[in-house]
Amino acid sequence: MSEPMDSGTPVLAASHVTKQFRVAGGHLTAVDDVSVEFHAGKVLAVVGESGSGKSTLARMLLRLMPVTSGTITYQGKDVTHIKGGELRSYWRDVQAVFQDPFASFNQFFTVGHTLRRGMGAEKLSEATLDALIETCLGYVGLKPGDAVHKYPHQLSGGQRQRVMIARALMMNPKVLLADEATSMLDASLRVSALNVLQDLRENLGLTVLFITHDIGQACYLADEVVVMEHGLVVERGVTDEVIFNPKHAYTKRLLSDVPDLKGSLKVRED
Amino acid sequence: MSGILMRASNVTAVYAADTGQDVPAVDNVTLEVPEGQILGLAGESGCGKTTLGNALAMIANPPLYVIAGKMAIDDHEIDLSTLAAGADQAHRPYRGATVSLLPQGAMNAISPTLRIRDLVVDVMRAHDKQTTKEDALDRASDRLKMLEMPTRVLDQYAHQLSGGMKQRMVTVVSTLLNPALLIADEPTSALDVSSQKALIEMLLAMVERKIMRGVIFITHDLPVLSMVTDRLAIMYAGKIVEAGPTEELVNHARHPYTSALLSSVLDPTEETRTKHVLGIPGSPPNLGNPPTGCRFHPRCSFAMPECSLKEPQFLHERDHSVACWWANDHAFETVPTEVNQA
């Protein structure tokens, strides 16, 4: 759990990645010379407040947004500017789950239809597809026979998010990017979604990039933590180091602002 | 302890479903807010927290109907039922002035084409058409100064404000009329920790300065509630299952549901690093056809045969009340938390 961050060749890496947006009167640097590495079978959490550049970094890694400068490497190969078939095959390997599962579903389609549709280009036989759906729904703890006939509104928030994870798994990805994937869930459902990610890491050796503003979730799930502020990486390291022995003032402030259950009553006595 | 500011009794609210069957989202709920205190209302999504908030704020709109319930607040005895003819007109004077609701996602309701000061004037005039622009703005800027917030915000548009500032502004605007009770529905859920803290500190300052005399704070975020509230009420499937002083409830949960919710909280602590939390198995029941007896029994690790047969009544231990058969058999015992972890 506590190997140094640079051990082995990373599965996915961003090196000196910068993203600037044009705004009235100049440029806004959303991500500023950021380098991160994802090692196989590890969970890396990117933590920071709104506007820290976490999601922009994720979008660049997913190749949904071009970089202003810097390179993205996947399995040792530069994928910063790949196109066409190469990009499609990259998108198979690097899958994402976003914050709002409702926004990712077509409400008129059942779960089964949604899962099948994503695999349309793969030209699999019906039987293979059915077996795949069954396996993937099984991974996330849903009963396939029951879930495939349901419409999104018939599922709870936690179930919807699990279906999204199952959809991502259908492609047999190497990397799963979860951008605030558990933020909209209740604490109890959140825990079960995090447990799903933990199991996938352990059983399938999946590499997970977990983006969150909630340092408590990072603490539960992540092997390594990167802290971002205003587009810059201000601190990084193994989870225990960053959370229990923070060096940067911003990390310390983030931690001190977290309302905690037992000790927080002191706030009222200030 | 000071007196009771608000007491709502036997509130029942139903959603009229297409099937013709009414779904009771809030079922015979009684709760109190003591003078000058903040009451937290917690529970999973779909447990009826927001519906209860809407019923108490008297803004139930079809398909939601409040079919029973009374609220005593500030010498007023209000019939919350929306079924009686003229109920809407009868409730109107209390809305915003006696009970103010800060709905979920309120910050997104600021018009993008108006400055905050226009919102202030609109809100004030909705209650008193005679209010002049100057009076309304003076009041708002005095309020902002009192809370140590910048008054320049009044001249800004929504897109010029951060999420945290928008949320604080709608909170200030919704309390300009000094309501007796503010019902804040998930006010901190869309904010990051620093903005959350700023909003909580502002709410506490508002209560201290008696801008409102009581608050019902609705959220599923227990750490936030433990930071801000004096008392907590935990809801499950349309019913309150446990209520008591926050510190007591957080440290000595008497209901297995409360205990499971508390165990699901992930603090950035060494304990979180090593534990494996199981969460709560299963999902909340269909309220159109809730389980018999205690509604939590199908998901409860402590369920006994009688749990599925008879509905537990409230057991009052000092100022902590709980409706649970396990708690009945184990007076004053805290629910063991080991069952929630592996």
Side-chain angles (χ1 to χ4, degrees):
Chain A
M1 194 183 264
S2 54
E3 291 114 305
M5 279 190 86
D6 51 358
S7 65
T9 314
V11 181
L12 181 66
S15 100
H16 303 287
V17 165
T18 295
K19 179 73 195 176
Q20 288 187 327
F21 292 108
R22 215 177 298 162
V23 290
H27 291 284
L28 179 121
T29 309
V31 172
D32 195 355
D33 193 23
V34 166
S35 301
V36 277
E37 292 180 345
F38 305 92
H39 294 278
K42 297 271 179 200
V43 178
L44 177 86
V46 178
V47 183
E49 290 173 297
S50 317
S52 59
K54 312 182 293 283
S55 291
T56 308
L57 176 66
R59 280 185 208 132
M60 288 191 289
L61 284 166
L62 281 168
R63 285 294 322 273
L64 294 175
M65 185 185 262
V67 300
T68 306
S69 64
T71 46
I72 294 165
T73 14
Y74 174 64
Q75 293 181 332
K77 185 170 166 279
D78 186 346
V79 294
T80 326
H81 302 289
I82 51 168
K83 286 189 183 119
E86 270 189 311
L87 183 56
R88 280 197 293 279
S89 121
Y90 176 71
W91 280 337
R92 277 190 198 103
D93 282 4
V94 182
Q95 287 281 322
V97 181
F98 294 103
Q99 180 169 2
D100 182 359
F102 235 146
S104 317
F105 277 113
N106 185 328
Q107 56 179 330
F108 299 112
F109 293 154
T110 58
V111 166
H113 187 98
T114 304
L115 295 179
R116 263 160 214 282
R117 210 177 151 88
M119 299 301 285
E122 302 297 305
K123 305 208 166 39
L124 299 174
S125 72
E126 277 299 305
T128 324
L129 203 49
D130 283 341
L132 188 62
I133 290 176
E134 196 169 325
T135 319
C136 291
L137 286 173
Y139 283 141
V140 297
L142 292 173
K143 289 191 203 99
D146 191 31
V148 289
H149 303 297
K150 295 229 163 127
Y151 287 91
H153 72 269
Q154 294 173 310
L155 302 171
S156 72
Q159 288 171 330
R160 277 199 288 270
Q161 201 56 283
R162 281 194 258 171
V163 172
M164 287 326 289
I165 298 175
R167 186 207 48 76
L169 292 176
M170 299 272 288
M171 291 286 181
N172 190 19
K174 307 284 180 295
V175 181
L176 183 68
L177 235 134
D179 187 357
E180 298 279 12
T182 51
S183 305
M184 282 179 72
L185 306 178
D186 287 342
S188 55
L189 298 172
R190 181 180 293 162
V191 166
S192 50
L194 293 178
N195 288 343
V196 167
L197 292 178
Q198 213 164 38
D199 292 347
L200 293 174
R201 189 251 321 253
E202 271 157 32
N203 302 335
L204 303 183
L206 199 66
T207 307
V208 181
L209 167 59
F210 186 73
I211 294 180
T212 181
H213 65 271
D214 182 352
I215 219 159
Q217 291 183 52
C219 180
Y220 184 66
L221 187 69
D223 300 303
E224 297 156 353
V225 175
V226 166
V227 182
M228 283 186 77
E229 182 194 19
H230 301 316
L232 292 164
V233 169
V234 295
E235 186 158 359
R236 68 172 79 208
V238 292
T239 309
D240 293 287
E241 269 300 302
V242 175
I243 295 183
F244 304 129
N245 191 15
K247 303 281 186 304
H248 196 277
Y250 179 72
T251 316
K252 288 181 189 166
R253 206 197 82 215
L254 263 189
L255 279 161
S256 73
D257 283 352
V258 176
D260 79 304
L261 204 53
K262 301 284 164 82
S264 58
L265 299 155
K266 64 184 181 290
V267 175
R268 301 233 61 191
E269 288 149 23
D270 282 348
Chain B
M1 200 167 72
S2 47
I4 299 297
L5 168 69
M6 188 281 289
R7 182 183 162 83
S9 28
N10 309 101
V11 182
T12 299
V14 302
Y15 285 94
D18 295 341
T19 52
Q21 184 203 14
D22 287 344
V23 178
V26 173
D27 196 351
N28 200 11
V29 164
T30 294
L31 89 167
E32 290 175 350
V33 180
E35 183 85 38
Q37 292 205 355
I38 304 183
L39 170 77
L41 195 56
E44 289 172 293
S45 303
C47 71
K49 311 184 289 284
T50 297
T51 308
L52 178 59
N54 289 352
L56 296 178
M58 294 164 275
I59 59 144
N61 282 319
L64 172 63
Y65 299 91
V66 180
I67 56 169
K70 296 240 182 311
M71 175 162 72
I73 183 168
D74 237 7
D75 306 329
H76 305 295
E77 180 75 32
I78 308 170
D79 184 355
L80 293 173
S81 165
T82 52
L83 297 179
D88 186 50
Q89 280 308 311
H91 290 156
R92 195 175 164 82
Y94 301 113
R95 291 187 197 126
T98 306
V99 181
S100 182
L101 176 78
L102 186 61
Q104 235 171 87
M107 65 176 180
N108 302 322
I110 307 177
S111 166
T113 60
L114 297 178
R115 294 172 200 268
I116 301 296
R117 62 174 184 223
D118 301 316
L119 174 68
V120 168
V121 175
D122 281 353
V123 169
M124 297 291 286
R125 283 205 180 142
H127 287 271
D128 181 2
K129 289 202 174 64
Q130 312 302 321
T131 313
T132 64
K133 215 171 179 176
E134 287 71 32
D135 284 351
L137 291 178
D138 282 350
R139 193 181 179 113
S141 67
D142 286 350
R143 188 56 59 82
L144 290 176
K145 281 179 201 150
M146 186 200 251
L147 297 167
E148 293 166 13
M149 286 177 50
T151 49
R152 65 175 156 76
V153 178
L154 290 173
D155 294 321
Q156 290 180 311
Y157 290 95
H159 74 269
Q160 294 172 301
L161 306 177
S162 67
M165 184 54 97
K166 275 194 275 188
Q167 189 67 36
R168 272 176 281 161
M169 281 316 296
V170 289
T171 310
V172 168
V173 173
S174 68
T175 52
L176 278 177
L177 298 161
N178 292 7
L181 178 71
L182 172 71
I183 301 175
D185 192 358
E186 300 277 8
T188 54
S189 303
L191 307 179
D192 53 43
V193 283
S194 315
S195 309
Q196 251 180 20
K197 196 176 174 198
L199 182 80
I200 287 170
E201 283 169 350
M202 191 187 78
L203 265 182
L204 292 173
M206 289 169 103
V207 174
E208 199 171 299
R209 296 196 163 91
K210 301 201 167 33
I211 290 173
M212 58 269 185
R213 286 152 49 207
V215 179
I216 297 181
F217 195 116
I218 302 175
T219 179
H220 61 258
D221 193 338
L222 285 167
V224 165
L225 285 181
S226 80
M227 194 166 164
V228 68
T229 60
D230 302 283
R231 292 180 65 80
L232 277 180
I234 309 289
M235 265 187 104
Y236 184 76
K239 286 186 173 289
I240 287 182
V241 294
E242 183 167 10
T246 304
E247 193 168 359
E248 162 88 13
L249 208 125
V250 166
N251 293 306
H252 305 288
R254 296 275 291 125
H255 198 288
Y257 178 61
T258 312
S259 170
L261 274 187
L262 289 167
S263 298
S264 304
V265 171
L266 301 173
D267 285 333
T269 56
E270 308 221 359
E271 194 196 339
T272 303
R273 263 324 265 153
T274 47
K275 72 179 175 183
H276 184 76
V277 187
L278 297 175
I280 307 175
S283 39
N286 171 4
L287 291 176
N289 184 21
T292 53
C294 169
R295 292 182 174 186
F296 187 57
H297 86 261
R299 303 172 72 191
C300 182
S301 321
F302 296 88
M304 303 174 287
E306 66 240 58
C307 295
S308 58
L309 302 173
K310 270 193 307 185
E311 192 182 324
Q313 297 303 307
F314 263 108
L315 172 72
H316 300 280
E317 294 167 343
R318 293 190 294 269
D319 54 352
H320 190 157
S321 7
V322 58
C324 171
W325 290 117
W326 181 90
N328 252 352
D329 291 352
H330 299 78
F332 295 100
E333 267 181 53
T334 307
V335 178
T337 52
E338 293 75 36
V339 294
N340 302 317
Q341 291 177 27

